[in-house]
Amino acid sequence: MNSKFQNISVEEIERRLKDAGVNPTTQRIAIFKYILCDADHPTADQIKSWADKNFPKVSLATIYNTLNVLVDAGLLRELNLPESDSVVYDKTLSEHHHFLDQQTGHLIDIEGDQIRVELKLKRQLKISEMDILLRGTQN
Amino acid sequence: MNSKFQNISVEEIERRLKDAGVNPTTQRIAIFKYILCDADHPTADQIKSWADKNFPKVSLATIYNTLNVLVDAGLLRELNLPESDSVVYDKTLSEHHHFLDQQTGHLIDIEGDQIRVELKLKRQLKISEMDILLRGTQN
DNA sequence: CATAGAATTGGAATAATTCTAAACTGGACT
DNA sequence: AGTCCAGTTTAGAATTATTCCAATTCTATG
Ligand SMILES: [Mn+2]
Ligand SMILES: [Mn+2]
Ligand SMILES: [Zn+2]
Ligand SMILES: [Zn+2]
């Protein structure tokens, strides 16, 4: 386990798209596969750079369209981190949080079971979601 | 306690600016006082709107300049929330987190002592900061 | 093959923020 | 009071991420 990058066949990618109600076009398959297998929290721009090297032509509009389609279908999540002006896309769908290495800029997934949060709220709040961003350095 | 808005004299504002090494100009005093006394997590645009009603002329560039000066001097913090394209400015300097009311869009400060976090990290990470954003509704 | 709906495209539009270079201010020194 | 100057403010242009738009191209189905 624990290899950050996995190998998923094109057929499997197609199946996942279809199951989510997304028409599996060439561009969508390529972009989704790239994000699932070869990328780590990429930005639209990073995806565009990769696409430019690996495809005859993919427009930036299509990158954004596709990302929005994938997010809306629940196949990706978008993260808006304070330190960056651009959204990063997250393939991990399970509840999890993030650690930002302040030296390298790397973003690391922290699974939900690694953080226990105890709320002693003064107000009566019904919490439906919680985003935690840790910052620091790695030994 | 607990009134969200407090009254601070212009002299006190000036003193705080000077103490932080910030030249207390007319515009800086006005903007800082507005944020400290009358605003709640405002955006640059909201500050501009208020300024337009209360001053002969304050340029948007000055709003941004001032906010950056105040942030750099440690007198304000800037928050970059996922749900908004614009930065909001936070007068609360103590360690705290935020609750976003998904119905009203209101942002509420959650003091640090209301959240206990227990980390069981698999990796060796040295955490220096932690941002927590809660989302939900209020009873 | 025809066709219609969906997807893709290039370029324009939008919006938050920063940059630039010129004009202004207010205190320090005559 | 008058001059000077560093620091501040200003208008408007520039930048950048993302969305919008209208035209073109695909693709699945009949
Ligand atoms: Mn979206
Ligand atoms: Mn800043
Ligand atoms: Zn993640
Ligand atoms: Zn706050």
Side-chain angles (χ1 to χ4, degrees):
Chain A
M1 61 162 284
N2 256 339
S3 170
K4 196 159 51 182
F5 305 110
Q6 41 181 329
N7 227 308
I8 306 177
S9 69
V10 171
E11 293 72 35
E12 168 68 9
I13 299 282
E14 266 194 72
R15 199 183 56 71
R16 291 196 196 180
L17 289 170
K18 273 183 200 149
D19 285 356
V22 175
N23 213 334
T25 67
T26 310
Q27 291 92 335
R28 288 171 179 175
I29 293 168
I31 293 169
F32 192 31
K33 184 170 195 309
Y34 170 65
I35 297 173
L36 289 184
C37 301
D38 301 309
D40 181 40
H41 295 103
T43 63
D45 230 54
Q46 287 164 4
I47 296 166
K48 177 74 164 76
S49 297
W50 165 84
D52 285 346
K53 291 192 204 87
N54 296 273
F55 280 87
K57 203 175 53 174
V58 184
S59 84
L60 184 55
T62 297
I63 305 278
Y64 278 106
N65 286 344
T66 297
L67 291 169
N68 284 331
V69 165
L70 295 176
V71 168
D72 291 347
L75 294 169
L76 289 181
R77 299 167 70 176
E78 51 183 28
L79 302 181
N80 225 307
L81 304 177
E83 3 282 310
S84 159
D85 286 335
S86 10
V87 165
V88 310
Y89 292 87
D90 197 335
K91 74 186 98 178
T92 305
L93 302 176
S94 60
E95 188 206 330
H96 72 290
H97 303 290
H98 294 93
F99 169 83
L100 180 68
D101 186 321
Q102 291 170 314
Q103 286 177 331
T104 64
H106 285 35
L107 191 65
I108 295 174
D109 283 342
I110 306 291
E111 291 308 319
D113 61 8
Q114 292 179 65
I115 300 189
R116 174 80 27 90
V117 178
E118 192 183 332
L119 299 174
K120 303 177 192 169
L121 300 175
K122 289 177 192 150
R123 305 189 183 224
Q124 302 236 315
L125 304 177
K126 187 182 300 167
I127 308 300
S128 65
E129 288 172 71
M130 175 167 44
D131 280 0
I132 301 182
L133 176 60
L134 307 173
R135 266 177 276 253
T137 55
Q138 282 178 283
N139 301 27
Chain B
M1 63 161 282
N2 255 337
S3 170
K4 196 160 50 182
F5 304 110
Q6 42 180 330
N7 228 307
I8 306 178
S9 70
V10 170
E11 293 72 35
E12 168 68 9
I13 298 282
E14 266 193 73
R15 199 184 55 71
R16 292 197 196 179
L17 289 170
K18 274 183 199 146
D19 286 356
V22 175
N23 211 336
T25 66
T26 311
Q27 291 90 337
R28 287 171 180 174
I29 293 167
I31 292 170
F32 193 31
K33 184 170 195 310
Y34 170 65
I35 297 174
L36 289 184
C37 301
D38 301 309
D40 182 40
H41 295 104
T43 63
D45 229 55
Q46 287 164 4
I47 297 167
K48 178 72 164 77
S49 297
W50 165 84
D52 285 347
K53 292 192 204 87
N54 296 274
F55 280 87
K57 200 174 57 173
V58 184
S59 83
L60 185 55
T62 296
I63 305 280
Y64 277 106
N65 286 344
T66 298
L67 291 169
N68 285 330
V69 165
L70 296 176
V71 168
D72 291 347
L75 294 169
L76 289 181
R77 298 167 70 175
E78 52 184 28
L79 302 181
N80 224 307
L81 304 177
E83 359 284 308
S84 158
D85 286 335
S86 12
V87 166
V88 310
Y89 293 87
D90 197 335
K91 74 186 99 179
T92 306
L93 302 177
S94 60
E95 189 206 329
H96 72 288
H97 303 289
H98 294 92
F99 169 82
L100 179 68
D101 187 321
Q102 291 170 315
Q103 286 177 332
T104 64
H106 285 30
L107 190 65
I108 296 175
D109 282 341
I110 307 291
E111 292 307 320
D113 62 7
Q114 292 179 64
I115 300 189
R116 172 81 27 91
V117 178
E118 192 184 332
L119 299 175
K120 303 177 191 168
L121 300 175
K122 289 176 192 150
R123 305 187 182 225
Q124 302 236 315
L125 304 177
K126 187 182 302 167
I127 308 301
S128 65
E129 289 172 70
M130 175 166 47
D131 280 0
I132 302 182
L133 176 60
L134 307 173
R135 267 176 275 251
T137 54
Q138 283 178 282
N139 300 28

